[in-house]
Amino acid sequence: MSNPGIDPKSARIFIETVEKKLREGYPAPGSTGGGIGALRAACNELGVAQGSQSSKLAAAERAYRPVRWPDKDTGKAPEQTFDLPVFPEDDIPVEDMLDHLSRKFEKRLSNEDAKTWFDVTIKIPGPVGLAVVGDPHLGTHCNIPLLRRDIDIMSKTEGMMAVNIGDTADNWGRMIYLYAEDDISKPTERKLARWFLRDAGMPWVVWLHGNHDTMHGEFSTFLKSENVAQIPMVDWRAKFKLRFPSGGEVKVDAAHNHKGSSIYNRLQGQKRAALWDEDADIYVAGHHHTWALTHEELDNGRVVWMGRARGYKWIDEYATRHNFHRDEHGATVLFVIDPGEKNAVRRISAFADLEEGADFLTWKRKRAAR
């Protein structure tokens, strides 16, 4: 196999070293004469490995100029009748590429590591609410009246925070033909997404990208470019800690969906995560367009909440065709957290009815303020 390449400067040094050895009397490359040849002598001087000497010479000849070595019998080189141009390399040296890629990898790895159990610092005292907004699917299938009611509740309730569990729009991507089935365009989807992110008045603390958000990669890039408030945007799953002024914390494992499913348990993935993944206080997902909540004490004594938010896609031909039940509740599920409560069972309460949960949060905050 020939040498894959050599930069012009190194090629010139290599060939000039071979030529110097020729002038010193070493046999020319390819000569059948005995003794060490000019090529090997040059390689020894430059520290070129034994197995790559001939390929190194061939690569150097290509990169520097055609070399007309002395005739093995007469010792004279044929007259050179022309010189060919030597073009500069079309890219930076490979070593520089590797240095750049190394720095880029280190930055990306640091970024990825920072997204695991990052802190969301609460600045107000007393109980707070963490609203997990189920798949919005903004467009013609979205229950817009319900969504607008819920946005009004979340934006006006003191102590409320919100997590977008993903699938902000249909964003059909490779299934772009499905846009023909809806009275909506890609630009309209993006306007709705911008409104949801920036202008709806939502108290966002985390925003996930679900499978629909990444069907066409340009959409997730668009969302990041519109994220002027620098809300943490994470692909699929975010593990974060709510840190309170009192010094306590609540750990939340929010995923568009956790691994694992069962027809007998809508929270199979969340139960699996609670048993086998890192410890959290709340495990919550969306994706399936169903809802469920359960409160459980595990064998190790941890008290955890597991939940799933139904989302706002009310008209769903796929669900109808496959005989899936259309849930009527739990579009957004709310976790009311009282950081001052020592009893693990009472510390977190959960609601499938956002309005009821918001009223409970308001009552808890008023009682704590007395």
Side-chain angles (χ1 to χ4, degrees):
M1 179 182 293
S2 62
N3 190 292
I6 183 173
D7 64 272
K9 181 179 178 181
S10 298
R12 178 179 59 79
I13 293 172
F14 187 80
I15 289 177
E16 287 179 352
T17 304
V18 175
E19 291 175 338
K20 182 183 73 170
K21 296 302 177 184
L22 285 170
R23 290 192 297 270
E24 293 173 359
Y26 290 93
S31 173
T32 57
I36 186 171
L39 172 58
R40 178 174 296 184
C43 289
N44 290 343
E45 181 173 318
L46 296 173
V48 176
Q50 177 77 19
S52 62
Q53 293 177 1
S54 60
S55 60
K56 181 88 170 183
L57 177 62
E61 291 173 355
R62 290 194 302 271
Y64 181 45
R65 59 179 171 82
V67 179
R68 300 169 68 83
W69 302 111
D71 184 87
K72 62 183 179 180
D73 296 321
T74 66
K76 295 181 179 180
E79 183 180 352
Q80 182 74 32
T81 58
F82 57 86
D83 286 320
L84 296 179
V86 177
F87 298 114
E89 292 288 331
D90 63 355
D91 208 338
I92 61 176
V94 172
E95 285 298 326
D96 291 345
M97 293 180 185
L98 293 172
D99 290 343
H100 170 72
L101 289 172
S102 293
R103 292 193 299 271
K104 191 170 184 177
F105 169 78
E106 289 168 357
K107 292 290 290 184
R108 294 188 68 176
L109 182 61
S110 175
N111 179 267
E112 284 297 308
D113 289 344
K115 293 176 183 175
T116 301
W117 298 124
F118 59 87
D119 292 340
V120 174
T121 303
I122 312 302
K123 294 185 176 181
I124 60 173
V128 298
L130 183 69
V132 179
V133 181
D135 305 22
H137 284 280
L138 296 171
T140 58
H141 296 163
C142 174
N143 189 337
I144 296 294
L146 177 61
L147 178 63
R148 295 177 80 176
R149 188 212 70 162
D150 289 353
I151 288 174
D152 188 62
I153 293 172
M154 288 182 277
S155 63
K156 293 180 179 178
T157 302
E158 185 183 33
M160 190 76 77
M161 301 171 293
V163 173
N164 180 0
I165 209 67
D167 284 2
T168 298
D170 285 331
N171 186 44
W172 286 117
R174 292 187 301 273
M175 296 185 289
I176 197 167
Y177 66 90
L178 290 175
Y179 278 115
E181 306 294 330
D182 297 331
D183 185 21
I184 193 169
S185 65
K186 290 175 66 175
T188 299
E189 276 190 340
R190 279 144 183 74
K191 290 175 183 177
L192 291 169
R194 182 188 296 113
W195 162 79
F196 197 47
L197 174 63
R198 296 176 52 173
D199 303 325
M202 290 287 287
W204 298 118
V205 294
V206 172
W207 189 294
L208 296 184
H209 292 158
N211 55 301
H212 278 265
D213 299 316
T214 56
M215 279 185 176
H216 193 294
E218 178 271 336
F219 184 63
S220 59
T221 302
F222 164 79
L223 292 174
K224 292 175 183 176
S225 69
E226 292 292 330
N227 186 18
V228 295
Q230 295 300 300
I231 300 156
M233 280 190 171
V234 185
D235 183 34
W236 199 263
R237 186 179 187 182
K239 297 179 180 181
F240 58 97
K241 301 174 185 178
L242 299 177
R243 291 197 176 273
F244 296 92
S246 60
E249 68 177 30
V250 167
K251 298 173 73 176
V252 181
D253 183 341
H256 189 62
N257 196 32
H258 292 93
K259 183 178 181 180
S261 62
S262 169
I263 62 172
Y264 304 106
N265 179 14
R266 289 181 171 182
L267 300 175
Q268 180 78 4
Q270 291 67 56
K271 182 61 176 286
R272 184 182 186 278
L275 290 174
W276 305 116
D277 287 0
E278 297 172 271
D279 292 351
D281 301 294
I282 297 172
Y283 299 86
V284 64
H287 189 51
H288 286 176
H289 303 175
T290 60
W291 74 272
L293 289 167
T294 189
H295 200 194
E296 185 174 343
E297 183 173 351
L298 303 180
D299 290 346
N300 61 5
R302 289 193 301 124
V303 177
V304 301
W305 270 102
M306 292 168 277
R308 187 181 291 278
R310 181 246 188 273
Y312 294 85
K313 189 172 184 177
W314 237 252
I315 301 172
D316 189 343
E317 292 88 346
Y318 179 85
T320 301
R321 191 175 304 118
H322 291 85
N323 299 311
F324 296 150
H325 172 70
R326 189 182 78 185
D327 289 10
E328 299 293 330
H329 307 284
T332 287
V333 296
L334 176 65
F335 297 93
V336 177
I337 304 164
D338 187 348
E341 177 60 63
K342 303 302 181 183
N343 188 307
V345 173
R346 295 199 296 263
R347 191 179 189 212
I348 302 174
S349 304
F351 298 85
D353 186 301
L354 181 63
E355 189 171 25
E356 177 74 8
D359 288 344
F360 180 72
L361 171 60
T362 300
W363 172 77
K364 289 275 283 186
R365 288 189 58 79
K366 287 182 179 178
R367 188 180 72 165
R370 287 188 220 145

